[in-house]
Structures are given as C-alpha cells and as structure tokens.
Amino acid sequence: MRVVLVSIVAGLVLSQAALAESKKDWDDCISSDADRSIAGCTKLIDRAKDTKNNLAIAYFNRGVGHQNKREHAEAIADFNQSIKLNASDPAAYRNRGFSYAQTGEYDLAIDDYNQTIKLKPDYPSIYYDRGWTYAGKQDEARALNDYNRAIALDKENPNLFSDRGRTYAELDDLDHALADFEKAIALDPNHALGHANRGWVMAMRNKQEEAIAEYSQALRVEPGNADNLNARGYAFIKTDQFDRAIADFDEALKLKPDFEDALSNRGWAYALKGDSDKALADYDEVIRRSPANVDALNDRGSLFDDKGDIDRSLADYEKVLALQPDNGRALNGRAWAHGQKGEFDQALADAERSVAILKDDPNAIHTRAWIYMNKGQLDLALADFDRAVSIDPELAGAYADRGRAYELKGDRDKAIADYRKSLSLKTRQRYDDKAKAAALQHLTALAAVAPGAAVVAGSADRDATKPNAPIVAEKRIALVIGNGAYANVKALKNADSDASAVAASLQRLGFEVIEKHDLTLADLTRELKAFGDRAPTYDWALVYYAGHGIEVGGINYLIPVDAELATASHVDDEAMPLDRVLAKVEGARKLRLVILDACRENPFAAKMASAGATRSIGRGLARIEPEAGVLVAYSAKDGQVAQDGDGVNSPFAQSLLKYLGEPGLEINMLFRRVHDDVKTATSGQQTPFTYGALPAEALYFKAAGQ
C-alpha cells in the first residue's frame, strides 16, 4: 500500500482586488485542515466572483480536502469542475486519477495519469501513482516498469521500494522483493510498511518467527494498524501460539469491526485450539455478513467435518462449488466428506478434480491416497502417500495413513516405521490428532505380533481400510462423550482420553463418529437431540459416555460438567436422565447400544447427602430394564463403583478397546470378555454388566475376514 501526500496549494494566482476582498476565505481554502479548506473554498465557489482560473483553484483545493477525508466521490466531482474551468492543469488530472484509483476505477485513473504525463512528463510521483494503479489491476509487468521509472527519478523514497517489492512478490520473485523491502527499511528504519512487507515475505517462506518480529516492529511504529495485527495473528497461528493470535485478532476487530479476514482467522485459531463452538460462531458471523465468502464456507465445512456433522459439512462445500465450480479446496473437502460416508466413487471423482486444480497440494494428494486405500487400490494409494510426504515431510496424518496401507499389504516393518514417524511429528491440522491416535493403536497391536506373522487376513485389495472409516455394508453412527473437566468437583483423569480412544476405534470400524468433550447440560441436550434425529436413518446407533453418573431415587442420571447438585432435589434440573439417552438410540434399524463408563466414585453423592437428601442416593448406577432390542453396558454392575485407573485409560475402556476390533467376535461374547478382563484386573472389585437383549441375529463390530 502506498502512502500519498496530496498537495493542497495549486499555484494560486489572485488579483489584488480579489485577495483584498476575500483574503480570509482564501486563507481557509488553502489550509491544510480539510474541514477548514472545504468551508473556505465553498464560500468562494458559492460567491462565484473570482476569475475562472481562481474558481478552478477553489474547486481543486476543495477536492483535495474531500480526498483527505476519503470522500472520493465528492473529490472527483470537484476535480471535474476544476478541469472544466482549466483543462491544462496536470495536478487536477493527477488528483482525480488518485481518487478514481481509490474507488477501484483503475482504467479511468490510468487515463488521467496518462493525461498528466502528457501535460507534464516530469510531474512528481506520477509514475509511482500509475504503477500503483497497474498493480491494482494485477498488471504487474506495467506496474514494475512504472516503479522503475519512478525510482530513477526519486531514489530516496522508501514507499517506492516497498511497493515495487510487493509487485516483485506478486510475480513470485521473492528475492528481489526482499531486497526492495530491505532498501526501504535502510532508507527509513521506522518505515512501518517496509517492515510489514518484509514480514510478509518471511511468512511466505515459512519463517514465522522472523515474520512476527517484523510485524511487531511495524506495530511499534503504527500501533493501530489492523492489517498488521491480522498478519501477525496469522503468523502466531502458524507457530501454535493460539492465544496470542486470538489477542491480535481481537485488537484488529476493535480497530476495524467489519474486518472479515480477522474474524475468519480468529475462527481458525479457535478451531485449532479446540474451541469449536467459538470457531463456529466466528465462521457463522462472517457468512452472515458475506454469504458468498468461500474461504469462510470452506473453513466452516472443515469444522463440521471434524465435529462429525458430515451432512452440514457437505452443504457448505456445495455452496462453495455453486459459487466457484473449480474451487479445489471445496472439492477436496467434499471428497473427504463423501469418503466419510463410504461413497468412494463420488469421493474419488472429486479428489481427481481437486488434485488437477491444486496440483502439488499435499492435502489434496493425501485425500486421494486415502480414498484409493479405501477402494483397495493400495499401490495407487502408496504412490500418492509418497508424493504427499515428499512435498510436505511434516504431514503427520499422511504418515499414519501410509502406515495403514503398508500394514494392509503385509509390510509390517514399513507400517511400524510410518506409525512411529507420525507420532514423532507435531500436530498441525485437526485430522492429525485422530490419525496419530489410530497410529498409536495400530503400533501397539503390531508390537504384540511376532515378526513374520501375518499382519492382516485376506487379500489387501479386499481389505483396504483407513484409520477412521473402513468400507462397511451397514450404516453406523456413534455419539462419543467424555466429561472430565467438571466445574464444581475434581476433574476425572481418564474420561477425556477414554472417549478419544473409543472414538478413534469406532471410526476405524466404519462408524460415523460425533465426538464431544466436557458438555454442559445445554450442550448435552442439544447433542442428544441431534443424534436422536439422525439415528433412524442408520442400522447401528451407539452412545458411549465416560464421566460421572449417579442414581437418585431409583433413577439414573448422567452428570454434565456444569452441574452443582447442591442437594438431591436439584438433580432433575441439572442432570440428564439415562432414559432420555436410551430413547435416542431406539430409532436405529438393527443395533441400539449404550455403553456407560459412568459408575466412578462420585463426589456429588457426598455433597448431596450432607445437604440432607430426602431421596435415596445410590452407590454407582441402578439396575435398569431397557426396551426390547436395546443393550446397555455398564462399566460396573448396579451398585458398584468403577475405577478410573492409573494408566492412560480406565480398566473398562482399556479392555473394550482391546476387543472392539477383533474380527469375528460377536457382541455378546465381546462384553463377556470385557467382563472377565476387568474383573481380573481389579481383583473382583469391578464387574462390568450388560442389561437388555439383542435380536437373535449375530452382530459383529468387525466381521471375520475383515
């Protein structure tokens, strides 16, 4: 961005009589104060007693006053009058051209600059002005030519070097760009624009710490520059400093409330920080203001995907593609979403288009590799995985997925190497955490298999899968909840990790997983309602809950993280009855399953008892008799308390994870094995139990041969 200082005096030539008659008005008209200038010039124009030339000067100076107030439409009108009265004044054409450029009328601006040059070829800054306008038209070659001519006339102007550097950068010539920015800073060490532009190049070269330093220097000179705050916030995101990024975006939005880029970037920072609700609020606000903002639609679609809301994710990508049919990012997102739903032919068609458009984008190539893997085309998958990690060697998710492809081909050593590589890398994308969790589980399983033993059963082409959505015939959906960060009692150590591990395991088994953590009562109500609405369209519906639960007066409740439960009478207002959870799975066509690791030692019970409860408060959860076709699994049978455990997962979750992916293990037998494992591990202190009954048909999380 250039900084232009527009002259206010235009060669004033007045008769002695005119000067004597209206000296004060002329003093005001040529004032550097915009409002004073406009008022004084207006009086002169309204009297219309001066010469034609002097009136032209009055219109010109009033136009300059409007320019300085960024009132460009009014400025253009005044310059039109000035030119009508004196068509030979180059300053009027130059200044009108400047206002045209500021309003995006680049061709009209260039016409005026050409006329200025025709009238006065050595007019100060005219080549700079025209070069800036060509740059606005994205005509970088002409812009560069004019900047060169401007610099030849004025080698001490840092703005010229800074703007020429931006043009070099647009031409992907970062070396020349950087040289110009450094020249601008050498001419003026406090040149904020030079520091900001140098920071921009550092960011493009992924030297984010240097970028932050340059933006910080620019902000020391111009503390109220919202653009530089936004740019520094972006660099903070790239260095995982999410709180500092959010602080910069907050400040930018205070300075410029309609700054959509800062609002969208703040949403991205919230999403990476794991605060999906605040991220969604920011994306929603951007889209409310600008429904055709494709970047915000893409970001929100990605967020919906991460939240397990595939249908809303697809809807956002469809909106982008209606606006821009060749938007590679939206095609990549839609490919991933179709893959999540098992629609791999549609997914591959979108992925092919995405790669053709984005070319060497590693994420697009990774998506296509993942789809090939799910279609059983492992050689094509491995070729794409290789290409993705060669472009971006830090792509943790791609290593995890390539490890799975190697595992399916029976190459144990390469699978282990890739799983380990994935785990060694920093998480940079939301998918990385899920992929790394899957890599850890596969690595653990492979470590238990002797070298040389068969890694997978059956043909690789038949059995291809991915960490979070294998090919399955049935539609399966799961709501996985981990409530650990309680506001009013001590946090549960393993609820969060238990839920994450179970979610990852279910994703590998073909479930569409909605994973939620630390839900308030309002959150829990909303998520259960949405899940219950979707369950009838699925064959399997499963709810897994890790957190506190309680039995009061013979009724079982799940406890949200914002509950206080000062007395037993508050439980109906602050907790979720288990019966409402069971009702949400009843619509599924085949399997309706609720798994509760919610019988942990409960600090709320003691608090309510001390308050003089009139309703009985049980130890653990009470026995239930669910409706026919619904199975409920407790981590500890009625009246018992489950252990949170000393490891990463509770004893119940650890055993459940052990058996979920075992091929050919019927569900009833699976829970019997979990029962025996946990009872043994806890020396008989905890005995898992199931209530209800399933149909006569044998049901498997993973069928034999898969």
Side-chain angles (χ1 to χ4, degrees):
M1 177 187 294
R2 66 176 172 166
V3 177
V4 180
L5 299 176
V6 184
S7 173
I8 306 218
V9 181
L12 181 62
V13 179
L14 302 173
S15 68
Q16 287 294 96
L19 187 58
E21 181 181 356
S22 28
K23 183 177 186 306
K24 181 182 183 305
D25 290 338
W26 277 110
D27 286 343
D28 289 342
C29 185
I30 64 174
S31 169
S32 60
D33 180 280
D35 290 325
R36 182 183 169 194
S37 174
I38 291 169
C41 293
T42 299
K43 288 179 182 178
L44 293 167
I45 291 166
D46 289 345
R47 280 203 300 269
K49 291 183 179 180
D50 280 294
T51 65
K52 184 177 178 182
N53 183 63
N54 287 347
L55 282 174
I57 294 170
Y59 275 114
F60 176 87
N61 282 348
R62 189 172 72 173
V64 170
H66 285 304
Q67 270 186 336
N68 289 337
K69 295 183 70 175
R70 299 186 179 182
E71 298 168 350
H72 291 291
E74 292 85 348
I76 290 168
D78 276 346
F79 294 136
N80 287 341
Q81 291 300 317
S82 181
I83 290 168
K84 188 182 292 185
L85 292 165
N86 181 8
S88 62
D89 181 8
Y93 290 103
R94 182 266 178 182
N95 280 41
R96 186 174 69 176
F98 174 76
S99 283
Y100 277 137
Q102 294 301 303
T103 57
E105 296 283 357
Y106 296 125
D107 289 331
L108 291 174
I110 288 168
D111 287 343
D112 273 352
Y113 292 147
N114 289 341
Q115 182 65 19
T116 304
I117 292 169
K118 182 178 178 182
L119 291 169
K120 188 175 176 60
D122 60 347
Y123 192 96
S125 83
I126 191 62
Y127 293 107
Y128 178 21
D129 295 338
R130 192 173 68 177
W132 186 89
T133 306
Y134 277 129
K137 286 188 68 175
Q138 298 181 322
D139 188 343
E140 281 82 12
R142 284 192 172 95
L144 197 59
N145 184 56
D146 271 353
Y147 285 140
N148 289 338
R149 295 175 74 175
I151 288 170
L153 295 170
D154 183 1
K155 295 182 174 62
E156 303 302 315
N157 187 336
N159 293 315
L160 286 172
F161 288 99
S162 191
D163 280 6
R164 187 177 70 175
R166 291 289 294 198
T167 300
Y168 275 128
E170 293 295 339
L171 293 167
D172 293 326
D173 188 347
L174 296 186
D175 290 334
H176 277 98
L178 189 59
D180 269 355
F181 299 145
E182 289 175 348
K183 177 65 174 177
I185 294 168
L187 288 167
D188 179 4
N190 288 321
H191 187 60
L193 192 58
H195 285 292
N197 283 336
R198 190 175 187 280
W200 180 55
V201 171
M202 293 299 104
M204 291 178 71
R205 288 182 164 174
N206 204 30
K207 296 181 178 180
Q208 303 300 337
E209 295 294 349
E210 292 183 49
I212 290 167
E214 291 294 338
Y215 289 130
S216 296
Q217 180 62 27
L219 286 164
R220 277 190 283 274
V221 179
E222 294 180 358
N225 189 304
D227 291 320
N228 290 339
L229 284 162
N230 180 57
R232 187 175 69 176
Y234 187 93
F236 278 136
I237 288 178
K238 301 296 280 186
T239 54
D240 296 336
Q241 299 180 73
F242 304 128
D243 289 332
R244 297 182 74 181
I246 290 165
D248 271 357
F249 299 137
D250 286 345
E251 187 63 26
L253 288 164
K254 286 179 186 175
L255 294 164
K256 196 159 69 169
D258 61 348
F259 197 175
E260 289 184 7
D261 282 350
L263 188 59
S264 187
N265 283 338
R266 189 176 68 179
W268 183 35
Y270 277 131
L272 290 172
K273 190 181 174 185
D275 195 336
S276 58
D277 290 337
K278 287 184 178 178
L280 187 58
D282 276 351
Y283 292 146
D284 285 346
E285 178 59 20
V286 174
I287 293 164
R288 185 192 67 78
R289 297 179 187 182
S290 301
N293 188 316
V294 295
D295 289 332
L297 285 165
N298 271 326
D299 286 339
R300 191 174 70 175
S302 177
L303 183 63
F304 280 138
D305 179 86
D306 288 323
K307 288 165 70 73
D309 195 340
I310 305 303
D311 291 334
R312 292 177 77 182
S313 173
L314 276 170
D316 273 350
Y317 293 134
E318 295 289 0
K319 288 176 185 176
V320 174
L321 293 167
L323 294 164
Q324 295 181 0
D326 290 328
N327 187 291
R329 186 181 169 200
L331 286 165
N332 181 56
R334 191 171 70 175
W336 188 263
H338 280 309
Q340 295 286 328
K341 298 182 77 169
E343 299 163 350
F344 292 109
D345 289 337
Q346 291 170 268
L348 184 58
D350 277 347
E352 295 282 14
R353 286 181 62 200
S354 176
V355 172
I357 293 165
L358 299 177
K359 301 190 185 303
D360 289 330
D361 183 274
N363 292 307
I365 297 165
H366 176 197
T367 296
R368 187 173 67 179
W370 171 80
I371 294 165
Y372 279 139
M373 182 170 65
N374 277 275
K375 288 174 69 68
Q377 298 171 293
L378 296 183
D379 289 334
L380 289 173
L382 285 167
D384 266 355
F385 284 134
D386 289 348
R387 184 178 166 198
V389 299
S390 71
I391 296 169
D392 184 353
E394 305 297 312
L395 202 59
Y399 283 105
D401 287 349
R402 188 174 70 174
R404 182 61 177 147
Y406 278 130
E407 186 178 353
L408 291 165
K409 282 182 73 75
D411 195 331
R412 179 179 185 276
D413 291 341
K414 287 185 178 178
I416 289 173
D418 270 354
Y419 290 145
R420 286 176 174 165
K421 178 68 173 178
S422 174
L423 294 169
S424 74
L425 294 172
K426 183 173 69 174
T427 293
R428 296 188 317 181
Q429 304 178 74
R430 294 188 291 273
Y431 174 72
D432 288 346
D433 282 330
K434 295 180 180 180
K436 288 164 75 173
L440 179 60
Q441 291 198 345
H442 282 286
L443 186 61
T444 302
L446 286 174
V449 178
V455 177
V456 291
S459 150
D461 286 342
R462 256 194 342 264
D463 299 331
T465 184
K466 67 164 184 159
N468 60 347
I471 301 169
V472 291
E474 297 166 315
K475 288 184 68 180
R476 303 175 175 188
I477 189 169
L479 174 61
V480 177
I481 300 167
N483 272 4
Y486 283 88
N488 298 298
V489 296
K490 183 179 177 182
L492 284 172
K493 180 167 68 80
N494 285 333
D496 187 73
S497 57
D498 288 349
S500 293
V502 169
S505 182
L506 292 174
Q507 285 174 327
R508 292 196 307 278
L509 293 166
F511 282 80
E512 179 183 330
V513 175
I514 303 160
E515 182 182 348
K516 298 292 173 180
H517 294 268
D518 300 326
L519 299 185
T520 64
L521 180 59
D523 295 334
L524 188 55
T525 301
R526 183 181 64 251
E527 295 299 336
L528 284 169
K529 180 178 181 293
F531 182 80
D533 289 343
R534 298 182 67 190
T537 65
Y538 288 79
D539 298 293
W540 289 33
L542 182 156
V543 173
Y544 172 89
Y545 175 85
H548 280 310
I550 197 168
E551 178 259 312
V552 179
I555 300 174
N556 295 312
Y557 297 87
L558 306 186
I559 303 179
V561 295
D562 59 344
E564 295 184 18
L565 298 181
T567 72
S569 64
H570 292 175
V571 71
D572 293 319
D573 302 311
E574 297 180 22
M576 176 64 64
L578 177 57
D579 285 347
R580 287 178 61 184
V581 180
L582 301 184
K584 301 305 179 182
V585 302
E586 287 177 358
R589 294 187 286 256
K590 187 178 290 187
L591 175 68
R592 308 162 192 97
L593 176 61
V594 176
I595 303 173
L596 300 174
D597 196 357
C599 317
R600 295 164 161 91
E601 189 69 52
N602 199 318
F604 290 102
K607 184 193 298 187
M608 288 188 290
S610 67
T614 57
R615 299 164 68 183
S616 63
I617 302 169
R619 187 171 186 266
L621 297 178
R623 181 182 181 87
I624 58 169
E625 293 296 337
E627 295 291 330
V630 177
L631 188 68
V632 180
Y634 281 7
S635 60
K637 72 178 182 179
D638 51 284
Q640 278 191 346
V641 174
Q643 297 182 17
D644 203 31
D646 296 322
V648 175
N649 300 116
S650 72
F652 177 79
Q654 189 174 5
S655 182
L656 181 64
L657 292 165
K658 176 180 175 182
Y659 293 116
L660 274 177
E662 183 171 325
L665 185 60
E666 202 274 333
I667 284 181
N668 286 294
M669 181 58 69
L670 181 152
F671 284 109
R672 290 190 192 115
R673 291 192 182 179
V674 171
H675 169 279
D676 293 346
D677 271 12
V678 175
K679 187 175 181 180
T680 300
T682 61
S683 302
Q685 296 179 45
Q686 178 180 341
T687 307
F689 209 84
T690 56
Y691 303 88
L694 294 174
E697 177 187 355
L699 297 170
Y700 305 87
F701 280 99
K702 186 172 185 178
Q706 282 192 337

